[in-house]
Structure formats: C-alpha cells, structure tokens
Amino acid sequence: MSSASNDEHNLSEEDDLALEKPPISEILSNFIDSNYSHLQDEHVKKQATNVCKAILKFINSYVLPKPEQGDVKYEEVYNKYQQSDKTKGKIIDIFGKSLLEKLLEKARDTITKEYIFTNFNTENLFDTLKKELEDPTSIIFRDDFDDLYYGVEGSLENAPSKRKRNGDIGEDNEKSTKQRKKKAGKSPALRSTTLSNSTTLSDESNENDKTNRVVMSTVVNSENVSEILGPETGYVSLTRDEIAKREEEHGSLMFEVVQNDGTIESLEKLLALKNIFGKQLPKMPKDYIARLVFDRNHRSMVGFKNGKVVGGISFRPFFPQGFGEIAFCAITGNEQVKGYGTRLMNHLKDYCQSVGLFRFLTYADNYAIGYFKKQGFTKEITLDEKRYRGYIKDYDGGTLMECVIRTEIDYLNIPGMIKQQRSAVYEKMKEVSNSHIVYPGLDVFAKGGKPKSIDEIPGLKEAGWKEDGDKIKREFKQLQQNFAEVLDKLKRHDCAWPFLEPVDPNEVFDYYDVIKEPIDLSTIEKRLKEGFYRTRDIFVSDIKLMFDNCRLYNREDTEYYSCANALEEYFKSIMVKK
C-alpha cells in the first residue's frame, strides 16, 4: 500500500475516534482561524494559539465530570466513551462542544491564575469563545468549516500554510493538510440555485417535515414568530409572497445566484441587474454600483420573470467572519408591490443556509428600513463588532441592520408554514375554549324589548357562566341602600336647593332649548326606586350631568354656578366612603 493510502487510512481512524463532531481540538483550531488568523499582529495570534493550547492541555488532563440532569448531548457522548476503548485517542479528539461548554469556566479560572501571557488579554479570548458557544449560528462547530472558511471549491492551494488540526495548534504538519483535502470536496460557496418546476415525493416529504417542526416549535413558544419573520412582518407581504410563489411554481418567475465568473452569460445578467440598481437607486454613484456588482468577491441573487431580469440583491459573503453584507437590493419599477422583493430575500436566505452563512448586515436608508424590517432585519446588532468592523463600508445617513438566518426555517415555504401555524393554534384553542362556535344573535332588541332572563343569551351557559342569584340580589340591595343614603345627604345640604326639583319652563323659558338632557335630584330618586341604577358608574354619571347642566346654562358669577361647585365637592367627599 502506498504512503498516501496509509496516511488516508490513519486519518480515517482518527476521524472515527470523535464521538462528537467536530472534536474540541478541531473546534479550537476553527476558533483561532475565525477570530485571530486575519489579524496583522503576529504576537496576538501566537498568544491566542498558546491560550488555546493551554485549554486543550487542561481539558485533556481533567477528570471527566459525570453528566448532570439536562446534559442530554454530553450524557450521550459520555456513555459511549465509557463503553469504548479508553486507551485510544485523547479526550480532546473524542469529545466536542458539550464537554467544552462544561469545562470552559473551570479552564478560565485555572489558566488565568497559573499562566501569564504577556501583552495579551486572556479574559477577552475566553469571553469571545463563550459567545461562540452561545451562538447557534457559529461556523466553528460545523464539520464543513474548511469549505466555508476557504470559500472557493475547497481549494487549499490558496489557504494559509499554517492551518492547525487535531490538537496540534501551532504546528504545521502534512497530516493536517491531507486531512483538510479529504474533508473539503467541492465547496458550497460557489453553488448557484436554479429552481425546478418539478418536485419529487421525497423533497415534498422533507419540506413538510421541516415545516411541521417549525409549527410545533411556534405553538410551544409563540415568541418565535417575531424571530422567524421579523418584528413588523404583516399578512399583506405574506399574501404577496404567496402570489410570487405561485408564479414561480408556474415557471414564469425564477431566481439564481450569479457571480462574475468571466462568462458572457453571467456578465449579461449582471449588466442587466446593474442597470436596475442604477435606475432604482439614483443617489448611489453609477461607477460604484458597477464596481461592486462586477466584483468577483460579490454575488448576486437575481430574479427573472419570463427570462428577463427584474431585480436582485448584491451581497458579499465573509465566511471566516461568519456574516455577509448586502450592498444593493432593488426591483424594477413596473414589477414592484407584487411580492418579488420578499421572495427574492427568502431565496437569498435559503441559499445562505446551504452555504453556512447565517447572518446578514446592511446599511439601510430611511426609505429601505421598512422593507428590511419586514424581512426580519433589526437595528439591534448581536454580531460582535470585532467581526465586522473594518470589513463593511460605513454609509453616512444609513442605519446598520442585522438579520439572523435560522436553520430550522424553510424560507421558501413561509406562506405554507404560516397557514400550518395558524391552523395548529386554532386547533389548540378548540381544546380549551368554545370560541370557535358562533351562536345566533338576539332578535328581541330589534322588536324594542330586552331579554327577560340572562339564560336567554345563547352560549352563555356553554361558556361556563353560572349565576349566583342570592349573591347578586344581596349586592344590588346594598348598592341601592348606599345610593339612597347619598341622595338623602345631598338633599339636606345648604347648596342643594337649586337641584331639588326640575326647572320650571314657565319661569326659565329657554332652559330646555339649551339643556337637552335635564336631570335633578327628584328624578334621580325616582330612577333609584325603579331600579335604574344597577352600577355605581350609572349613578355617578347622572349626578355629574346635573352639575354640568347647571354650569352650562348659568354664568360663572351666579349663585347657581357656585352651588353646583360646592355640592359637587360635597358629593365627591361622601362617595369616597361608599
């Protein structure tokens, strides 16, 4: 067997050692590449590597902790390890993220006390590593990190010469290079998405499974809706997206990722897109648009209608930094307000899922902020500033916005997902309420009457309402007694004389022309005896109307006006006690 074949066989055995992939040794190598390899300061890079070596040494010598309640993944790996041959391999090549999470703080305490790394912020490294562990979209935990990091067809010829693997952080070895070549294959970074009109049964099944998982997740935690679709998503855009989806299914609408690969076909598509950007973004310099659209580092998600370019999104992926920047986004004028913009963005998100890009940043002007909010972008930036500072261009007057792309969402089937979510919520509501049952209305009001009994109201008993007749009667009797006491006190007050009886129209000729709802204490007393005042609010409303009528008709300098104010203050004081 050749030497190359022997190496490949050994690498295969090493890969088999990992019970959780990627193993800790590989995670830390990815961490160094992702967070430090781009820095110019060689001292910082070297010290970061030394800290990671210390972490590996600490974990390798640490007694494996027993799983605790809730450590699902770690318990699974731990049990497999206990049943395996423990003499083969190191802990850092066998365990992965679950053990690193458990031991990170212990490693921090030990290393910061026992090691001194000159001119280097060790705590900052641990903080950054902790953020990576908490970030579900971090690429350092992906098996295809090499493909994502190097970006172009898995080619390692242009890769940095000192890529570290398998705990050999800081050592350049031929084995790690061969292992990378074996892993890399063809990178997803250059794949273009072209939609097909036909869908196989297995594709349909996978789509439904994915949607169902999201539906159940949303039913359990309703807060996920704003995370999935953005804080200000409305049903209008969903309807448009559904229309665009149908056009796509019929073949008149399609989307494709286009990059300047030098071919005439690609250049023609990018030229058409460049012209749309130039027309729809008049404030943007034309030469600047052309430079970015045709830049080989940029890619464009292009929308076609009946074979003609109708819009697109130009973006640049920064795979090592774990984000992409959207440079331009526009739809041609006569094809706007049809849901194409939303569909275009959903295709871009779907594409980014396939290439391992889970965050987008963009600078939006005041006209574009609303659109980006509907597409799930927010002004709250969760990406570490060190990741993007210096990589993206700052725009005066623009607002920096971020979108996190979630792996569990099928962005190409959002209308179907929303329908299933709503259906699931309605079914859940039926289990706990009768709100879905519609009862006929009461026709007694149309005939000028009112229900003789509350039992006549359809659905009231079914809703679980029960009348405690004796309690209601006791409360009503007490309420009437309180109102009677208040009325008696009001009538005996020195300022009550203008309000004891209705105003005589023979004495005040125009009173009833001004006052349309006359009221006085004798009328209120009559209503009280008839059981009109069933609540405190109704009683107080009539008393207040009486004072307001007096102040409306009489001037402020009259005795009547003063009596109204004085009696009202007295009324408020006695009602506080009732």
Side-chain angles (χ1 to χ4, degrees):
M1 185 177 284
S2 68
S3 175
S5 298
N6 280 324
D7 285 342
E8 190 169 308
H9 177 69
N10 292 336
L11 287 173
S12 178
E13 288 182 350
E14 285 185 14
D15 281 348
D16 291 339
L17 288 176
L19 298 176
E20 183 181 5
K21 294 182 179 180
I24 295 173
S25 56
E26 195 170 317
I27 289 173
L28 292 183
S29 287
N30 296 346
F31 173 72
I32 291 293
D33 279 338
S34 179
N35 291 275
Y36 292 93
S37 65
H38 62 282
L39 300 178
Q40 298 297 319
D41 193 331
E42 293 296 330
H43 173 76
V44 172
K45 288 194 280 188
K46 183 177 180 181
Q47 291 293 58
T49 302
N50 289 336
V51 175
C52 287
K53 280 185 178 181
I55 296 173
L56 292 175
K57 182 179 178 181
F58 172 84
I59 294 176
N60 225 29
S61 61
Y62 196 87
V63 178
L64 276 179
K66 292 184 178 180
E68 299 176 356
Q69 187 174 0
D71 293 340
V72 180
K73 183 62 180 177
Y74 176 67
E75 184 176 12
E76 176 189 338
V77 180
Y78 179 86
N79 291 336
K80 287 181 180 178
Y81 176 71
Q82 295 300 327
Q83 298 169 8
S84 65
D85 184 355
K86 300 183 185 63
T87 61
K88 289 186 177 181
K90 300 176 182 179
I91 292 296
I92 56 175
D93 294 326
I94 296 172
F95 284 79
K97 182 180 178 181
S98 61
L99 179 60
L100 182 59
E101 285 178 322
K102 288 185 73 67
L103 298 183
L104 182 65
E105 292 305 318
K106 292 182 174 63
R108 182 203 292 258
D109 293 341
T110 300
I111 291 171
T112 52
K113 290 177 183 177
E114 297 182 2
Y115 292 79
I116 297 176
F117 298 95
T118 57
N119 299 322
F120 184 76
N121 191 335
T122 308
E123 287 285 357
N124 184 62
L125 181 143
F126 276 100
D127 289 340
T128 305
L129 182 55
K130 186 177 181 180
K131 286 181 180 178
E132 293 276 12
L133 286 166
E134 294 171 349
D135 183 1
T137 68
S138 173
I139 65 171
I140 73 170
F141 305 106
R142 290 176 60 105
D143 273 343
D144 57 351
F145 177 86
D146 284 323
D147 285 348
L148 301 179
Y149 185 81
Y150 293 115
V152 182
E153 292 190 345
S155 172
L156 294 166
E157 286 75 8
N158 299 324
S161 60
K162 291 191 177 182
R163 177 87 168 109
K164 293 89 183 179
R165 277 281 173 255
N166 294 331
D168 298 323
I169 296 178
E171 297 176 16
D172 185 17
N173 61 75
E174 186 179 352
K175 182 189 292 185
S176 65
T177 302
K178 288 179 180 178
Q179 184 176 15
R180 293 198 307 277
K181 287 182 178 179
K182 180 189 171 191
K183 283 181 59 184
K186 181 172 176 62
S187 167
L190 284 179
R191 289 188 303 187
S192 66
T193 56
T194 304
L195 301 177
S196 170
N197 294 330
S198 61
T199 306
T200 64
L201 185 61
S202 60
D203 290 338
E204 218 168 81
S205 175
N206 291 336
E207 181 179 290
N208 289 336
D209 288 344
K210 193 172 187 180
T211 304
N212 287 336
R213 288 198 300 274
V214 177
V215 168
M216 295 313 296
S217 171
T218 306
V219 170
V220 173
N221 181 7
S222 61
E223 293 177 1
N224 286 352
V225 174
S226 63
E227 294 179 2
I228 291 168
L229 298 176
E232 296 186 19
T233 300
Y235 289 111
V236 174
S237 61
L238 286 176
T239 304
R240 291 174 185 165
D241 186 34
E242 193 166 18
I243 294 172
K245 184 174 184 287
R246 289 173 183 171
E247 288 189 46
E248 189 178 332
E249 290 169 350
H250 294 153
S252 60
L253 193 65
M254 63 178 294
F255 300 87
E256 178 186 352
V257 174
V258 181
Q259 189 175 11
N260 184 3
D261 56 5
T263 64
I264 297 296
E265 183 183 6
S266 296
L267 291 173
E268 286 178 345
K269 293 173 182 177
L270 292 176
L271 179 61
L273 181 61
K274 189 261 311 180
N275 292 336
I276 290 175
F277 287 153
K279 187 174 182 179
Q280 298 300 321
L281 307 172
K283 294 183 179 180
M284 198 66 67
K286 301 294 188 292
D287 57 340
Y288 178 68
I289 293 175
R291 180 155 52 87
L292 264 58
V293 170
F294 289 106
D295 177 39
R296 293 179 183 269
N297 292 318
H298 281 72
R299 304 174 191 184
S300 297
M301 176 64 72
V302 183
F304 302 85
K305 185 172 183 179
N306 298 323
K308 182 181 178 181
V309 175
V310 294
I313 300 175
S314 284
F315 64 99
R316 178 175 179 175
F318 294 95
F319 288 106
Q321 303 309 114
F323 78 95
E325 179 194 15
I326 292 179
F328 310 115
C329 173
I331 298 291
T332 189
N334 61 340
E335 298 292 353
Q336 291 182 4
V337 201
K338 295 181 179 180
Y340 295 168
T342 297
R343 196 67 185 159
L344 190 66
M345 185 64 74
N346 287 339
H347 267 283
L348 179 59
K349 292 176 182 178
D350 180 73
Y351 169 75
C352 289
Q353 283 179 336
S354 70
V355 298
L357 200 64
F358 297 109
R359 272 192 173 86
F360 262 118
L361 295 178
T362 189
Y363 272 97
D365 61 25
N366 292 333
Y367 298 103
I369 288 175
Y371 165 78
F372 281 109
K373 278 186 176 181
K374 289 179 181 179
Q375 308 310 318
F377 284 74
T378 174
K379 297 177 185 178
E380 297 179 8
I381 312 301
T382 59
L383 184 66
D384 190 344
E385 187 176 349
K386 296 176 183 176
R387 288 282 193 91
Y388 65 84
R389 186 61 63 192
Y391 286 87
I392 64 175
K393 179 179 174 62
D394 293 331
Y395 291 93
D396 293 335
T399 301
L400 184 62
M401 303 185 76
E402 178 192 51
C403 178
V404 177
I405 298 169
R406 310 219 163 248
T407 56
E408 70 271 21
I409 305 302
D410 181 0
Y411 287 101
L412 298 185
N413 190 36
I414 285 183
M417 183 184 71
I418 292 296
K419 285 182 179 178
Q420 291 195 38
Q421 287 174 341
R422 294 170 79 182
S423 176
V425 171
Y426 288 150
E427 291 301 318
K428 201 71 179 176
M429 289 170 61
K430 289 178 182 179
E431 296 177 10
V432 296
S433 76
N434 295 324
S435 59
H436 58 287
I437 301 175
V438 180
Y439 293 92
L442 294 172
D443 57 3
V444 64
F445 298 110
K447 299 174 182 178
K450 61 180 181 180
K452 295 179 180 178
S453 170
I454 200 165
D455 294 334
E456 294 180 16
I457 300 176
L460 198 62
K461 286 186 176 180
E462 290 81 353
W465 185 86
K466 294 180 180 179
E467 180 180 5
D468 185 349
D470 293 338
K471 182 181 179 182
I472 292 175
K473 289 177 181 178
R474 286 196 304 271
E475 291 176 350
F476 181 71
K477 185 177 180 180
Q478 181 62 49
L479 199 63
Q480 302 303 297
Q481 185 178 335
N482 292 341
F483 294 160
E485 291 176 2
V486 170
L487 272 179
D488 184 59
K489 290 179 179 180
L490 287 177
K491 288 192 294 184
R492 289 189 281 111
H493 193 273
D494 292 340
C495 294
W497 60 269
F499 308 102
L500 294 176
E501 299 293 337
V503 175
D504 188 348
N506 295 321
E507 296 180 5
V508 187
F509 303 105
D510 63 343
Y511 182 82
Y512 292 99
D513 293 332
V514 178
I515 303 302
K516 301 302 181 183
E517 295 183 72
I519 192 77
D520 62 279
L521 291 177
S522 65
T523 303
I524 292 173
E525 187 173 24
K526 181 181 178 183
R527 288 182 174 183
L528 178 62
K529 291 177 180 178
E530 293 173 349
F532 179 77
Y533 300 114
R534 304 191 70 83
T535 68
R536 178 189 174 100
D537 289 341
I538 300 174
F539 178 72
V540 172
S541 178
D542 265 4
I543 297 289
K544 187 175 183 301
L545 176 63
M546 181 178 70
F547 298 134
D548 289 342
N549 286 346
C550 180
R551 285 187 287 255
L552 177 62
Y553 185 81
N554 298 284
R555 296 193 310 273
E556 194 171 344
D557 59 350
T558 62
E559 187 178 11
Y560 299 103
Y561 199 101
S562 299
C563 285
N565 288 343
L567 192 61
E568 184 176 35
E569 288 302 316
Y570 178 65
F571 171 71
K572 289 179 181 178
S573 67
I574 59 179
M575 281 302 291
V576 171
K577 303 173 184 178
K578 295 297 179 182

